[in-house]
């Protein structure tokens, strides 16, 4: 069941200048709970999900245009665009990832049947457009959930483990040079509710921790020049990435300095997926303020 707005709540789409911090309200709705902006490679539009569907909206003007999903099950907020902008890769509520032509046509399932208790949550596409990075969630017979970082060819094919352990991982996304996968994880934590940011070579290896603070840090998005990471920072002790919390959108630069870009009421849906503009000057986020 797709998320719905609470009584008196609205969804607000903002574009933020990362240098000045100036936020521009682009679109708002008190009817549709939309989430997770992607920026098109040509810089002209944003792509969001809402009510199980996928929508496009101009960066500067225009309303929502629904993208034909060709009858697949409702999608969630895990979606990315191919480097040429012609395909949206989406995670469906049936647990699989699909390739959706942006201008209409037949969708194609990318992922394999990995068992009834296995689900695929998409977060990244490689710069050459040939590989997807996703989180595989596997629930065993005892009901224990395990998450790991995987890759799979966009054309379909064998899954590859990038991590293979019991730590909770999420938000896997490629670096602009295609050499690394950035993700958030509770590895290194002594208790649930203290996720930090990491990166790991695409071929696997030892993860490198990138943030070390008391807050709970999710969804690292690397700038096109590879010099900055935008991410969502939850209050200390937050388990998972819930909705309707006071969160901070932060920017970590190549020197290691961290600064706040925006404080919003949101969390889940605010910035789950790659949301930098192609010039690396702006990001797009969603806030969910309540009336009053």
């Amino acid at each position: 069941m797709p998320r719905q707005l609470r009584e008196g709540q609205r969804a607000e789409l903002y574009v933020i200048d990362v240098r000045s911090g100036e936020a521009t309200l682009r679109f708002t709705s008190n009817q549709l709970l939309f989430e997770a902006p992607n920026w098109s490679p040509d810089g002209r539009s944003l792509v969001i999900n809402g009510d199980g569907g996928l929508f496009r909206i101009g960066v500067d003007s225009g309303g929502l245009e629904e993208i034909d999903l060709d009858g697949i099950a409702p999608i969630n907020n895990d979606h990315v665009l191919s480097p040429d902008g012609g395909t949206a890769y989406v995670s469906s509520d049936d647990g699989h990832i699909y390739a959706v032509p942006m201008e209409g046509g037949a969708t194609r399932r990318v992922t394999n049947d990995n068992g009834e208790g296995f689900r695929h949550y998409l977060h990244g596409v490689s710069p050459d457009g040939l590989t997807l990075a996703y989180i595989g969630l596997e629930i065993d017979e005892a009901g224990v959930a395990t998450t790991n970082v995987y890759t799979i060819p966009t054309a379909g094919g064998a899954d590859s483990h990038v991590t293979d352990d019991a730590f909770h991982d999420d938000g896997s996304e490629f670096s602009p040079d295609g050499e690394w996968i950035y993700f958030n994880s509770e590895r290194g934590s002594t208790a649930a509710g203290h996720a930090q940011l990491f990166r790991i070579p695409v071929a696997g290896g030892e993860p490198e921790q990138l943030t070390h603070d008391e807050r709970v840090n999710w969804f690292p998005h690397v700038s096109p020049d590879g010099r900055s990471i935008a991410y969502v920072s939850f209050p200390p002790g937050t388990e998972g990435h819930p909705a309707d919390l006071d969160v901070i959108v932060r920017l970590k630069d190549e020197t290691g300095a961290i600064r706040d870009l925006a404080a919003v009421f949101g969390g889940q849906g605010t910035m789950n997926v790659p949301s930098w503009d192609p010039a690396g000057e702006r990001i797009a986020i969603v806030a969910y303020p309540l009336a009053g």
Side-chain angles (χ1 to χ4, degrees):
M1 176 83 179
R3 285 176 59 204
Q4 303 294 320
L5 292 168
R6 294 159 58 180
E7 184 176 355
Q9 189 173 36
R10 63 188 183 275
E12 297 180 336
L13 175 62
Y14 286 91
V15 172
I16 301 177
D17 184 300
V18 296
R19 291 195 181 108
S20 68
E22 180 181 358
T24 301
L25 178 61
R26 171 60 189 90
F27 181 73
T28 186
S29 175
N30 59 9
Q31 301 294 320
L32 177 68
L33 191 157
F34 55 82
E35 304 175 290
N38 298 127
W39 211 297
S40 66
D42 64 10
R44 296 178 181 174
S45 60
L46 296 162
V47 173
I48 55 178
N49 67 282
D51 200 25
L54 195 66
F55 301 85
R56 175 168 42 202
I57 186 170
V59 170
D60 299 313
S61 63
L64 294 182
E65 172 195 351
E66 188 162 9
I67 296 166
D68 182 15
L69 297 180
D70 192 34
I72 65 173
I75 67 167
N76 56 41
N77 57 27
D78 299 323
H79 43 79
V80 299
L81 301 183
S82 62
D84 65 4
T87 303
Y89 296 99
V90 302
S91 292
S92 166
D93 284 349
D94 68 6
H96 285 285
I97 295 170
Y98 293 82
V100 177
M102 288 291 287
E103 303 306 326
T107 63
R108 171 179 57 85
R109 199 180 88 182
V110 177
T111 46
N112 302 303
D113 285 318
N114 292 319
E116 186 176 348
F118 194 99
R119 301 181 68 83
H120 308 76
Y121 293 97
L122 173 67
H123 283 276
V125 59
S126 61
D128 61 10
L130 298 179
T131 308
L132 298 177
Y134 73 88
I135 297 297
L137 184 150
E138 189 168 12
I139 301 176
D140 65 18
E141 294 180 356
V144 176
T146 302
T147 56
N148 276 291
V149 178
Y150 293 79
T151 61
I152 188 171
T154 53
D159 303 278
S160 297
H161 266 285
V162 180
T163 67
D164 190 4
D165 51 51
F167 299 113
H168 185 81
D169 302 326
D170 209 333
S172 49
E173 182 178 317
F174 286 92
S175 60
D177 62 9
E179 298 296 320
W180 297 86
I181 290 178
Y182 285 70
F183 65 110
N184 58 268
S185 177
E186 292 190 357
R187 64 189 63 237
S189 236
T190 57
H194 200 188
Q196 297 293 307
L197 306 185
F198 291 80
R199 68 175 187 172
I200 188 171
V202 170
E206 186 65 27
E208 174 188 351
Q209 189 166 342
L210 303 174
T211 57
H212 305 76
D213 60 70
E214 76 284 356
R215 294 184 63 85
V216 179
N217 300 318
W218 279 71
F219 303 131
H221 307 307
V222 187
S223 61
D225 63 8
R227 295 180 176 179
S228 300
I229 306 169
Y231 61 97
V232 181
S233 184
F234 288 80
T238 305
E239 295 190 26
H241 53 293
D244 298 339
L245 287 177
D246 289 315
V247 299
I248 303 170
V249 177
R250 287 184 156 172
L251 193 71
K252 177 183 171 76
D253 68 23
E254 59 187 333
T255 71
I258 295 173
R259 62 184 173 95
D260 297 349
L261 281 180
V264 300
F265 188 70
Q268 173 71 290
T270 289
M271 196 175 66
N272 293 55
V273 295
S275 57
W276 284 89
D277 81 321
E281 297 173 349
R282 296 176 289 175
I283 60 170
I285 68 168
V286 182
Y288 302 97
L290 295 165

mmCIF file of all heavy atoms in Angstrom, residues 38-57:
data_model
loop_
_atom_site.group_PDB
_atom_site.id
_atom_site.type_symbol
_atom_site.label_atom_id
_atom_site.label_comp_id
_atom_site.label_asym_id
_atom_site.label_seq_id
_atom_site.Cartn_x
_atom_site.Cartn_y
_atom_site.Cartn_z
ATOM 1 N N ASN A 38 14.629 12.159 -8.574
ATOM 2 C CA ASN A 38 15.790 11.981 -9.461
ATOM 3 C C ASN A 38 15.885 13.207 -10.361
ATOM 4 O O ASN A 38 14.863 13.788 -10.727
ATOM 5 C CB ASN A 38 15.631 10.774 -10.400
ATOM 6 C CG ASN A 38 15.511 9.445 -9.708
ATOM 7 O OD1 ASN A 38 14.572 8.712 -9.958
ATOM 8 N ND2 ASN A 38 16.450 9.124 -8.839
ATOM 9 N N TRP A 39 17.095 13.552 -10.766
ATOM 10 C CA TRP A 39 17.280 14.639 -11.724
ATOM 11 C C TRP A 39 17.611 14.027 -13.077
ATOM 12 O O TRP A 39 18.451 13.139 -13.183
ATOM 13 C CB TRP A 39 18.435 15.535 -11.276
ATOM 14 C CG TRP A 39 18.264 16.973 -11.685
ATOM 15 C CD1 TRP A 39 18.208 17.462 -12.951
ATOM 16 C CD2 TRP A 39 18.127 18.096 -10.806
ATOM 17 N NE1 TRP A 39 18.061 18.829 -12.927
ATOM 18 C CE2 TRP A 39 17.999 19.248 -11.621
ATOM 19 C CE3 TRP A 39 18.114 18.255 -9.426
ATOM 20 C CZ2 TRP A 39 17.858 20.523 -11.096
ATOM 21 C CZ3 TRP A 39 17.966 19.532 -8.893
ATOM 22 C CH2 TRP A 39 17.835 20.649 -9.727
ATOM 23 N N SER A 40 16.940 14.484 -14.125
ATOM 24 C CA SER A 40 17.207 13.935 -15.457
ATOM 25 C C SER A 40 18.612 14.330 -15.913
ATOM 26 O O SER A 40 19.117 15.398 -15.556
ATOM 27 C CB SER A 40 16.171 14.432 -16.467
ATOM 28 O OG SER A 40 16.287 15.832 -16.664
ATOM 29 N N PRO A 41 19.267 13.482 -16.716
ATOM 30 C CA PRO A 41 20.627 13.792 -17.168
ATOM 31 C C PRO A 41 20.744 15.072 -17.982
ATOM 32 O O PRO A 41 21.817 15.671 -18.020
ATOM 33 C CB PRO A 41 20.997 12.560 -18.007
ATOM 34 C CG PRO A 41 20.153 11.463 -17.466
ATOM 35 C CD PRO A 41 18.855 12.119 -17.088
ATOM 36 N N ASP A 42 19.650 15.514 -18.615
ATOM 37 C CA ASP A 42 19.718 16.759 -19.381
ATOM 38 C C ASP A 42 19.452 17.986 -18.507
ATOM 39 O O ASP A 42 19.496 19.131 -18.990
ATOM 40 C CB ASP A 42 18.758 16.735 -20.573
ATOM 41 C CG ASP A 42 17.287 16.646 -20.176
ATOM 42 O OD1 ASP A 42 16.970 16.782 -18.971
ATOM 43 O OD2 ASP A 42 16.446 16.436 -21.076
ATOM 44 N N GLY A 43 19.163 17.775 -17.232
ATOM 45 C CA GLY A 43 18.969 18.872 -16.301
ATOM 46 C C GLY A 43 17.633 19.574 -16.386
ATOM 47 O O GLY A 43 17.406 20.558 -15.683
ATOM 48 N N ARG A 44 16.713 19.071 -17.204
ATOM 49 C CA ARG A 44 15.467 19.795 -17.454
ATOM 50 C C ARG A 44 14.302 19.350 -16.587
ATOM 51 O O ARG A 44 13.321 20.082 -16.448
ATOM 52 C CB ARG A 44 15.074 19.641 -18.933
ATOM 53 C CG ARG A 44 16.073 20.255 -19.893
ATOM 54 C CD ARG A 44 15.644 20.017 -21.331
ATOM 55 N NE ARG A 44 16.602 20.584 -22.277
ATOM 56 C CZ ARG A 44 16.525 20.425 -23.593
ATOM 57 N NH1 ARG A 44 15.518 19.719 -24.120
ATOM 58 N NH2 ARG A 44 17.439 20.966 -24.391
ATOM 59 N N SER A 45 14.355 18.140 -16.025
ATOM 60 C CA SER A 45 13.198 17.632 -15.300
ATOM 61 C C SER A 45 13.611 16.827 -14.077
ATOM 62 O O SER A 45 14.764 16.414 -13.932
ATOM 63 C CB SER A 45 12.315 16.781 -16.225
ATOM 64 O OG SER A 45 13.041 15.679 -16.740
ATOM 65 N N LEU A 46 12.640 16.640 -13.207
ATOM 66 C CA LEU A 46 12.776 15.805 -12.025
ATOM 67 C C LEU A 46 11.782 14.658 -12.129
ATOM 68 O O LEU A 46 10.689 14.817 -12.690
ATOM 69 C CB LEU A 46 12.506 16.617 -10.761
ATOM 70 C CG LEU A 46 13.495 17.755 -10.490
ATOM 71 C CD1 LEU A 46 12.904 18.744 -9.497
ATOM 72 C CD2 LEU A 46 14.815 17.209 -9.987
ATOM 73 N N VAL A 47 12.146 13.516 -11.578
ATOM 74 C CA VAL A 47 11.279 12.342 -11.578
ATOM 75 C C VAL A 47 11.020 11.951 -10.135
ATOM 76 O O VAL A 47 11.954 11.854 -9.326
ATOM 77 C CB VAL A 47 11.927 11.174 -12.349
ATOM 78 C CG1 VAL A 47 11.101 9.899 -12.202
ATOM 79 C CG2 VAL A 47 12.065 11.531 -13.824
ATOM 80 N N ILE A 48 9.747 11.774 -9.794
ATOM 81 C CA ILE A 48 9.341 11.413 -8.441
ATOM 82 C C ILE A 48 8.344 10.262 -8.508
ATOM 83 O O ILE A 48 7.749 10.000 -9.558
ATOM 84 C CB ILE A 48 8.703 12.608 -7.702
ATOM 85 C CG1 ILE A 48 7.539 13.183 -8.520
ATOM 86 C CG2 ILE A 48 9.738 13.684 -7.406
ATOM 87 C CD1 ILE A 48 6.808 14.345 -7.860
ATOM 88 N N ASN A 49 8.166 9.565 -7.400
ATOM 89 C CA ASN A 49 7.120 8.552 -7.319
ATOM 90 C C ASN A 49 6.018 9.027 -6.374
ATOM 91 O O ASN A 49 6.240 9.885 -5.521
ATOM 92 C CB ASN A 49 7.668 7.211 -6.823
ATOM 93 C CG ASN A 49 8.135 7.279 -5.388
ATOM 94 O OD1 ASN A 49 9.224 7.793 -5.106
ATOM 95 N ND2 ASN A 49 7.326 6.783 -4.461
ATOM 96 N N GLY A 50 4.841 8.446 -6.532
ATOM 97 C CA GLY A 50 3.732 8.760 -5.644
ATOM 98 C C GLY A 50 2.560 7.863 -5.935
ATOM 99 O O GLY A 50 2.266 7.566 -7.108
ATOM 100 N N ASP A 51 1.901 7.371 -4.887
ATOM 101 C CA ASP A 51 0.715 6.522 -5.020
ATOM 102 C C ASP A 51 0.964 5.324 -5.937
ATOM 103 O O ASP A 51 0.088 4.907 -6.686
ATOM 104 C CB ASP A 51 -0.479 7.338 -5.523
ATOM 105 C CG ASP A 51 -1.810 6.656 -5.218
ATOM 106 O OD1 ASP A 51 -1.865 5.861 -4.261
ATOM 107 O OD2 ASP A 51 -2.794 6.912 -5.943
ATOM 108 N N GLY A 52 2.197 4.794 -5.899
ATOM 109 C CA GLY A 52 2.534 3.613 -6.689
ATOM 110 C C GLY A 52 2.937 3.902 -8.113
ATOM 111 O O GLY A 52 3.310 2.986 -8.849
ATOM 112 N N GLY A 53 2.897 5.171 -8.532
ATOM 113 C CA GLY A 53 3.237 5.539 -9.896
ATOM 114 C C GLY A 53 4.510 6.359 -9.968
ATOM 115 O O GLY A 53 5.134 6.689 -8.947
ATOM 116 N N LEU A 54 4.906 6.712 -11.189
ATOM 117 C CA LEU A 54 6.111 7.492 -11.454
ATOM 118 C C LEU A 54 5.719 8.726 -12.259
ATOM 119 O O LEU A 54 4.913 8.631 -13.202
ATOM 120 C CB LEU A 54 7.115 6.648 -12.234
ATOM 121 C CG LEU A 54 8.560 7.151 -12.314
ATOM 122 C CD1 LEU A 54 9.212 7.136 -10.932
ATOM 123 C CD2 LEU A 54 9.376 6.278 -13.272
ATOM 124 N N PHE A 55 6.290 9.881 -11.894
ATOM 125 C CA PHE A 55 5.906 11.144 -12.505
ATOM 126 C C PHE A 55 7.144 11.960 -12.873
ATOM 127 O O PHE A 55 8.184 11.859 -12.230
ATOM 128 C CB PHE A 55 5.039 11.973 -11.539
ATOM 129 C CG PHE A 55 3.787 11.295 -11.106
ATOM 130 C CD1 PHE A 55 3.796 10.412 -10.028
ATOM 131 C CD2 PHE A 55 2.595 11.520 -11.768
ATOM 132 C CE1 PHE A 55 2.636 9.767 -9.613
ATOM 133 C CE2 PHE A 55 1.422 10.889 -11.370
ATOM 134 C CZ PHE A 55 1.446 10.007 -10.288
ATOM 135 N N ARG A 56 6.971 12.806 -13.896
ATOM 136 C CA ARG A 56 8.010 13.735 -14.321
ATOM 137 C C ARG A 56 7.466 15.150 -14.193
ATOM 138 O O ARG A 56 6.296 15.409 -14.457
ATOM 139 C CB ARG A 56 8.400 13.427 -15.772
ATOM 140 C CG ARG A 56 9.375 14.370 -16.421
ATOM 141 C CD ARG A 56 9.895 13.790 -17.735
ATOM 142 N NE ARG A 56 8.857 13.158 -18.525
ATOM 143 C CZ ARG A 56 9.076 12.230 -19.466
ATOM 144 N NH1 ARG A 56 10.299 11.841 -19.745
ATOM 145 N NH2 ARG A 56 8.079 11.705 -20.144
ATOM 146 N N ILE A 57 8.350 16.074 -13.793
ATOM 147 C CA ILE A 57 7.958 17.480 -13.687
ATOM 148 C C ILE A 57 9.138 18.339 -14.108
ATOM 149 O O ILE A 57 10.297 18.020 -13.798
ATOM 150 C CB ILE A 57 7.502 17.832 -12.254
ATOM 151 C CG1 ILE A 57 6.963 19.265 -12.190
ATOM 152 C CG2 ILE A 57 8.604 17.601 -11.234
ATOM 153 C CD1 ILE A 57 6.278 19.594 -10.868
#
